Structures are given as C-alpha cells and as structure tokens.
Amino acid sequence: MHNLAWWQSAVIYEVYPRSFQDSNGDGIGDLDGIIQRLDYLVGIGVGAIWIAPIYRSPMADFGYDVADYCDVDPIFGNLQDFDRLLIEAHRRDLKVILDFVPNHSSDRHPWFLESRSSRENAKRDWYLWRDQSNNWMSNFGGSGWEWDELTSQYYYHSFLKEQPDLNWRNPAVRAAMYDALRFWLDKGVDGFRVDVMWLIIKDDQYRDNPSNPDFGPDQSSGNSLLPVYNSNRPEVHEVVAEMRAVIDSYPGRVLIGEIYLPVKDLMTYYGQDLNGANLPFNFLLLQCPWNARAIAQVISEYMTMLPPGAWPNWVLGNHDNARIATRVGLSQTAIAAMLLLTLPGTLTIYYGEEIGMTNAFVRPEDVQDPAEKRQPGIGMGRDPERSPMTWDCSDTAGFTRGQPWLPLGADHRAVNVEVENCDEESMLNLYRRLIALRRAHPALVSGQLRSVTSLGDLLNYELATDHVRLMVFLNFGHSPVQVAAESGIVLAGTDSRRRAERVGNFVELKGSEGIVIKIPS
Ligand code: NOJ
C-alpha cells in the first residue's frame, strides 16, 4: 500500500505473553514460545505484534508492576532471548511493539525503595507522597492512598498498592523514563503501547474529585466520583508530545496510547498538530451494545470526530475485556470479525480471537487476577480472557508440557488452531481470508468510509477510492434479510462459498451473515 506507514496498513496482534506459548514447561508462556509461533502469525497475515509487559516484575499485576524497565523478567527469558525474538520477527517482516508502563512502577523498583526510605531521599519526589489523603480511588477499588509507617505519609496508587504512581511533574522521572524508551528503541523495537496514557499526570493541588450526580443506588452509572482531578489532566498532552518526540527521533516507529475516555476527549490524544499518539486506541467497539444501530452510530461518530490527518484505529478485544465470542455470542463472532476487518485504519486483534476462543471458566480457588482478588464476584476478573492459547487437541492444547497457569477454555478440543486449520469455514480461515482481502484491496485500509447506515439488524457501509467501491453488509440478527445492493461481485463472505458470486440489485443474507461486494466503476 503506497504512501502509508507500516503501522497504518498493518493488523496488530496482541500477545499476552504468559498465555501464548510456553517453551520450558513451567506452565507460563515465554519469549522462546513466541519465537516458535512467529510463522503462525505470518500465516494469519498480521503485520505487527504488541507484547504485553515482559519487564522484570514481581507480577503483582502480571507485569504491569515493573521493577526494571530495561530488563526481561526471568519468567519470560532474558535480554538475549528478546534480541533473538526481534531478529526472528524482523526477518519475517513482522514489527514488534512493546508495552510501556509509565504511570506507575512496582513497589519493589529500586526507585520506590529509595523514595520510601526517608522523606529526605533524593528520589522522594519521584512518587506522589502526601501528609493527607484525598478521595481519589484506586481503579481496582478502594482508596488510592496507602499509609506508609516508616515515613508517616501516604503515597498514591491508581491501581494496586504494589503499583505506586510516579510523579510525572518531576523532570528527573521524565528523563529516566525516556531513557528506558531509548533503551528498547536502540535495540530496534518498532514502537510502544503506552499503558493508561490518560492517567499519567494528576492535579498538582490534589483537589478532591466531585461526586457523580448520575450515580444511583443501583450503582448503574459507574463510580460515585467523577475522576476530574486524577485523570485526563490538560498537562498530560505535554508528556505525550514528549514521548512522541522521543519516538520520532527514530525513523518508522509508532506510539499507541491506551485511553478509556469518551470519544471527544479521546481525539485530543492525537495531539495539537498531531504531535501526540499516532494511535490513541479506539475502544468504542469494546463498549458498544451489539446491534446494527448502535454500531453504525459509533462508527459515524468516531470517523466524523477524527481530527484532520489523524489515522483511525479499531480494537475488538484485549486482555482487560471479555472475549468477543463471549460478549456477542457464538453466532455473531464471524460478524464481529468481518466488522473489524473491513473498517478503515489500523486494527488490533487480541490473541485467540482469530480462532473464536471464549472466556474460560475460572474457579474461585484458581483466580489469579489481582483485580478479582481485590473485589471478588463483581465481574472485575480478567483471568477468563487470559486463558492459554489453544493450539492443538492435546490435553494442554499444545500450550505447555506442564500445568497451565490458568485453566484452558472448556471448548479447547474443538476451538484450536489444529482443528480450524482443516476447516475451510473456521474462524481462523475467515480471519486469514479477510486479512488477505485487506492486503489485496487498499480501499479497505485507506478508502473513504461512506454512508454508514443501519436498517433493522442490517449494518451497511461503503469504502471507496477513486478506482473502486466496496460495500459491506452485516446481518446482526438471526433471521434472513433481503438487502438492496448494487450489482457487483462478492469479494468475501462469512460463508466462503459466496466468494465470486455475482449479485444483482437484491442480495439474500442468512442470519448472522456478512458479505463484501465490489461494485464495478
Ligand atoms: C491497563 C492494563 O491493560 C491492565 O492490564 C493493567 O492492570 C492496568 N493498566 C494497570 O497497569
């Protein structure tokens, strides 16, 4: 695809490293395991992998508590293994994106150990210490402030108390973190996904958050407080622009931001003059009710609000949200795949979605996720979507020769790569076909998105370039529909047998069926 950066045309594949492939039998995935599966990833057609944190960590939040930003945790391997992974990936034309966790470190990071040792320590101001707490909450529930006996002050943590927040108002913190970015950029990593980008800077006056007027006794409207002073502060954009400058000092790298905000606020993370994140992750499809009308609305809204020159992106799943097949139901997973893979811009797939994995059942005694342990039983747990990748029909699904760290999905003997490779109509082959279609038809990646409409259960949109028009029809209902189209040729369908079918002015779609039609110009 001409004139596009690699990160604009690539499909990004998220690898949750603990769960992808174990190579040493300890039941936890590792870097060597990822290397073993690179050919599989090339075979699906993805262009980049984003690997969730592999840094040295006590694993209180499975790597999102970093104890050394410039080393690999022994669970995953070592720096030489990482270098090999990079060489092997690049040899196959696959880009490698790392996670970067700037908002907080581990409480075992030497910086925090020093900071905690005395009020006079040179690193005291690297974290957020206060004599008094305020009403800021932790995103994992409860107060975000932890009392420290030794120095008789509180420190703030947006997540676990084992994840103290760094003080991004301190220039020394910024410099140290940018050095960490350079460490990996010098090695040749192709970019970063920045964890909780919108939380990095907090109010310098530590003002209390206001109460949420929409919060009802049934707790249906989110939190009791509005996170006005500890999230999405105006100064965050200065930090993001600085990160971007570091990234841009190396050619061909990408900066992606994890941002859960309303779409209007999300757009500000592209930065003034587009000097912010190249891709502020767009999670609208993760949060949207699953019906044609709501989806048409979020697509139109997102595309309309994109700043001029900003590049769109879409995410269907990640390691913090229920799997798509579980969210929308088995019959709709192919529609979900076709929706994602026919939208313009950069797409991110979560490992296992391409084979239609569902949330695994995790017994209370097997729970690993600290979010679930801290607030049991209210649906915070993320273990179900982190179950091991299922590669074959064996007892441990080809993931490990040991005991998997999380239970396998109950459906693992039917939902796995080995079985789906042999079935033309499998989810895996649908993903392969659709990614190949994107590669063959630039209109799908960079075409102009037009006339996004819904009629009942039917969602319809068109992607156009000067040379071609592609029409996408997706049936979100279970009953057949007749669709008014234009005469053309089916390029792809959830049912592979419809490929090359000539259609006239009307097309029949079965329940949960989708097609892409090419209209001759
Ligand atoms: C967002 C990550 O995706 C999530 O897994 C993690 O628990 C929090 N940030 C804290 O780092």
Side-chain angles (χ1 to χ4, degrees), residues 61 64 101 104 140 159 163 193 195-196 258 319-320 382 386:
D61 188 18
Y64 284 99
V101 192
H104 44 268
F140 286 155
F159 293 89
Q163 295 167 293
R193 169 269 191 192
D195 192 58
V196 295
E258 183 205 24
H319 63 280
D320 294 325
R382 300 165 297 178
R386 297 176 178 179

Side-chain angles (χ1 to χ4, degrees), residues 55-93:
Y55 309 111
R56 203 173 265 278
S57 164
M59 302 289 164
D61 188 18
F62 297 118
Y64 284 99
D65 48 321
V66 178
D68 184 343
Y69 286 95
C70 299
D71 201 3
V72 170
D73 194 274
I75 286 186
F76 299 124
N78 56 35
L79 282 170
Q80 288 72 46
D81 298 328
F82 181 78
D83 290 340
R84 259 187 315 116
L85 167 61
L86 208 52
I87 290 169
E88 291 298 324
H90 285 166
R91 210 159 61 79
R92 294 165 171 83
D93 217 10

Side-chain angles (χ1 to χ4, degrees), residues 90 107 143 168 187 226 232 336 382 385 399 412 421 452 457 478:
H90 285 166
D107 63 345
S143 168
W168 275 81
K187 282 191 172 297
L226 295 174
N232 194 30
R382 300 165 297 178
E385 60 261 23
F399 165 69
H412 72 92
N421 264 338
V452 183
D457 284 328
H478 301 299

Side-chain angles (χ1 to χ4, degrees), residues 192-240:
F192 293 93
R193 169 269 191 192
V194 178
D195 192 58
V196 295
M197 188 178 257
W198 83 111
L199 299 184
I200 293 173
I201 272 211
K202 285 90 191 166
D203 181 40
D204 57 352
Q205 296 166 52
Y206 292 86
R207 281 171 280 190
D208 270 334
N209 281 326
S211 51
N212 178 357
D214 298 329
F215 184 70
D218 61 347
Q219 307 201 341
S220 53
S221 301
N223 296 320
S224 61
L225 298 169
L226 295 174
V228 172
Y229 292 114
N230 57 346
S231 82
N232 194 30
R233 300 302 301 161
E235 302 92 315
V236 72
H237 297 294
E238 179 190 311
V239 172
V240 177

Side-chain angles (χ1 to χ4, degrees), residues 424-445:
E424 196 43 42
E425 298 306 320
S426 67
M427 192 61 59
L428 181 56
N429 280 320
L430 177 64
Y431 267 81
R432 286 192 179 121
R433 284 199 302 275
L434 291 174
I435 294 177
L437 194 72
R438 286 181 84 74
R439 294 197 157 190
H441 294 274
L444 286 171
V445 178

